[in-house]
Amino acid sequence: MLDRPKSYIDQLPPIPERHLAPGQTLSTEDLSGPSPFIVRGLVADWPLVQAAKTSFPALRDYLQKFYNQKPVMISRGPAEIRGRIFYKDDMSLNVTIGKSDLNTVLVQISEMLDLDEQDCLYLAATAIDAYFPGMQAENPIDLGAHSAYGRIWLGTRTTVAPHNDSQYNLACSVAGHRRFLVFPPEVFRDLYLGPFDNTPAGRVISMVDVHDPDFDKHPRFRQALEQASVADLAPGDAIYMPPLWWHQVDGLDPFNILINYWWQASPAVYGLPEPALDHALLAFRDLPPAERAYWKNMFDHFVFNAEDDTNAHIPKGKRGPLDDMTKSKAQALRAKLLRYFQR
């Protein structure tokens, strides 16, 4: 890992660590908790991690043993962006995204390993089973009762701006060192979020340059930093992240690999909240103030502050989606929404 100049980030409190006894694994309860934590060496025994610790050629050979030659999606950017995947001044992305053969990408990275200034090459959130069949079986993870498949993130030195995920996340550092700068969900107002419809990877990101913040332009970011914490991960370490926690991720070495697992607590048929927010922008934001206030109260009453007796005046079994959600009710509600959107 290259030496990094000291910054204010080095002075932030560390994310708590969990310590497992030999042979112990994380429990379902551990992986359902409300706060992030680190587990040192959780996947240190993976053959993939051992290959990474041996050498770049050993790691490359291990990946190529499983790679099925399907073209992968790669983000590319010039050296002057210094790995920060972000926007240009005109709000277009500062990277281009296209398909490539992974073997070619690995050769290109190998040619830049000794350079202080690298072009940005980044493979993100790629399903392991779809491109590296059999590799997960040799590098297993115990998620308790949770079910998830692995995704691989691979590339040169990169900086991914603060963003969050709507699912639970276990991220395992495989090659190189990674730094996670983490903020609790409620600080979103202080992160100066960017556009919803134009994002580097499908998730809205902070417009603050965390490494060189402009406090004149983004003064509330100081408040976000008061609640921030940091984690530095070496190969074999892992970090658990509950839903909605904001995190910036820096790949600090000339070559970095991370494998992560996402899962959600509710059945997939229930859907995700983001589309509801998109629809709310369309349906509510520009209503007259009195109408907006009415719908806000409706949401509070039936959704956010609903109590056991909210719908007690309707006979049980006749409350439809106002009652406890089931798979069949969720499917019926989705069908109703589809009919709305087809008008």
Side-chain angles (χ1 to χ4, degrees), residues 68 96 119 252:
N68 59 11
T96 59
D119 289 348
L252 302 175

Side-chain angles (χ1 to χ4, degrees), residues 13-338:
I15 292 173
E17 298 186 15
R18 295 279 180 92
H19 300 280
L20 301 180
Q24 183 184 7
T25 60
L26 292 169
S27 68
T28 302
E29 291 72 24
D30 290 329
L31 297 172
S32 305
S35 301
F37 61 82
I38 302 166
V39 183
R40 300 291 181 194
L42 181 67
V43 297
D45 293 336
W46 276 2
L48 184 57
V49 173
Q50 293 303 311
K53 290 183 176 180
T54 300
S55 65
F56 178 83
L59 177 57
R60 179 196 59 210
D61 292 347
Y62 189 85
L63 291 170
Q64 291 175 331
K65 181 174 73 170
F66 297 97
Y67 176 48
N68 59 11
Q69 311 307 313
K70 290 182 180 179
V72 294
M73 299 301 296
I74 295 290
S75 298
R76 298 176 181 271
E80 53 261 31
I81 72 172
R82 301 185 64 81
R84 186 185 182 215
I85 299 172
F86 197 64
Y87 300 102
K88 299 178 183 178
D89 290 341
D90 64 359
M91 292 302 294
S92 63
L93 297 182
N94 66 355
V95 295
T96 59
I97 303 173
K99 290 186 176 181
S100 180
D101 173 68
L102 181 64
N103 300 304
T104 301
V105 173
L106 292 174
V107 168
Q108 293 170 338
I109 291 174
S110 70
E111 293 172 347
M112 296 189 291
L113 290 177
D114 296 327
L115 300 179
D116 290 338
E117 295 187 1
Q118 299 173 296
D119 289 348
C120 176
L121 291 174
Y122 190 51
L123 178 150
T126 299
I128 293 176
D129 284 349
Y131 294 88
F132 303 90
M135 194 166 77
Q136 282 198 126
E138 281 198 10
N139 300 271
I141 193 76
D142 188 346
L143 300 176
H146 302 300
S147 178
Y149 57 87
R151 294 179 179 271
I152 189 168
W153 310 69
L154 175 157
T156 54
R157 299 183 195 93
T158 51
T159 292
V160 179
H163 62 285
N164 70 5
D165 301 302
S166 58
Q167 299 170 305
Y168 292 85
N169 185 11
L170 184 70
C172 305
S173 180
V174 169
H177 293 73
R178 294 222 178 216
R179 165 166 279 190
F180 281 72
L181 179 62
V182 176
F183 306 86
E186 60 269 18
V187 306
F188 68 91
R189 294 179 182 85
D190 303 325
L191 293 178
Y192 296 89
L193 301 183
F196 284 21
D197 62 334
N198 174 29
T199 66
R203 302 295 300 180
V204 63
I205 65 171
S206 169
M207 297 297 291
V208 179
D209 183 349
V210 168
H211 291 301
D212 186 20
D214 183 342
F215 291 115
D216 291 330
K217 189 175 181 179
H218 305 124
R220 294 196 310 275
F221 185 62
R222 293 185 188 277
Q223 297 168 216
L225 288 175
E226 292 176 359
Q227 300 186 64
S229 53
V230 65
D232 286 313
L233 302 187
D237 296 341
I239 182 170
Y240 161 75
M241 195 88 59
L244 306 180
W245 282 70
W246 299 90
H247 48 287
Q248 171 159 306
V249 186
D250 290 294
L252 302 175
D253 288 324
F255 183 61
N256 305 272
I257 295 180
L258 180 137
I259 289 177
N260 89 300
Y261 305 85
W262 281 313
W263 66 93
Q264 59 190 72
S266 60
V269 72
Y270 288 9
L272 296 172
E274 283 84 356
L277 179 58
D278 290 336
H279 190 214
L281 292 171
L282 182 67
F284 301 124
R285 190 187 59 186
D286 295 327
L287 289 175
E291 293 182 41
R292 283 206 314 273
Y294 167 81
W295 286 110
K296 181 179 184 300
N297 288 333
M298 287 282 281
F299 270 72
D300 286 342
H301 183 69
F302 287 107
V303 180
F304 298 112
N305 297 324
E307 299 178 353
D308 291 342
D309 63 351
T310 296
N311 305 298
H313 57 285
I314 305 174
K316 195 168 181 62
K318 302 296 183 180
R319 300 170 187 166
L322 296 177
D323 211 340
D324 293 339
M325 192 62 67
T326 63
K327 183 177 180 179
S328 62
K329 290 177 184 177
Q331 289 172 332
L333 197 55
R334 289 168 71 94
K336 180 181 179 182
L337 290 170
L338 286 173

Side-chain angles (χ1 to χ4, degrees), residues 4-11:
R4 292 178 290 107
K6 293 288 185 180
S7 75
Y8 71 91
I9 297 176
D10 296 282
Q11 311 304 317

